[in-house]
Amino acid sequence: MTTQPLERRRMVAVAQPRVIGATALRVLGSATLLVVGAVHLEQYIGVHFGVVPVIGPLFMLNFVGSVAVAAGLLLPLRRLHPLLALGGIGISLTSIVFLLLSHYRPLFGFEDYGYRPAIVAALAAEAATVVLLGGYLGLRARSR
């Protein structure tokens, strides 16, 4: 039996739930980020945004970036996870801002309207990604 000082054992006991919570937030955040990418891919292919100049390539870039960052968050790249989480938050916030801008003024010559189910799903997934990955970063910072 190892004899750790009592303070060290208490620190480990307190840190363990934070680590588990941070891991859960990271995994859930990567899942919602995959939803963000999937919605953009569906709109690119299914709604034919792929033929819209500038917007089409941005939708594909969102899909590729979301999948790459989400995969990185699921891989055992512990030192890169905070940077990847910031990237996921950035992708999601940029998507929200560009969508809202396109509802009020043309964005790269494209103007969107209404809140069809794909837009609601994208906004919900993007907001969830920001909250989950932000929570992950917060818990990780507290455990240090």
Side-chain angles (χ1 to χ4, degrees):
M1 179 168 128
T2 61
T3 56
Q4 294 180 343
L6 183 58
E7 290 178 29
R8 172 76 177 139
R9 282 185 280 174
R10 283 186 187 148
M11 286 174 48
V12 169
V14 170
Q16 190 64 25
R18 284 187 189 149
V19 169
I20 292 169
T23 301
L25 289 172
R26 178 176 51 83
V27 169
L28 290 172
S30 68
T32 57
L33 188 58
L34 285 172
V35 172
V36 169
V39 170
H40 281 83
L41 179 64
E42 187 276 329
Q43 293 294 289
Y44 180 85
I45 295 169
V47 183
H48 306 294
F49 279 170
V51 299
V52 179
V54 181
I55 297 297
L58 287 175
F59 269 59
M60 182 53 71
L61 187 60
N62 183 294
F63 166 70
V64 171
S66 295
V67 170
V69 170
L73 285 167
L74 294 173
L75 292 173
L77 306 170
R78 191 164 165 77
R79 290 184 180 213
L80 291 179
H81 286 161
L83 185 59
L84 291 165
L86 286 172
I89 291 169
I91 289 169
S92 295
L93 287 176
T94 302
S95 297
I96 291 169
V97 169
F98 279 8
L99 174 67
L100 294 176
L101 282 174
S102 74
H103 272 78
Y104 296 105
R105 60 175 14 165
L107 182 65
F108 305 115
F110 176 79
E111 192 167 0
D112 210 345
Y113 59 90
Y115 288 93
R116 59 190 180 279
I119 290 176
V120 173
L123 286 172
E126 290 155 358
T129 300
V130 170
V131 169
L132 291 166
L133 293 180
Y136 160 72
L137 290 173
L139 278 181
R140 185 172 164 123
R142 279 186 74 193
S143 68
R144 289 187 173 252

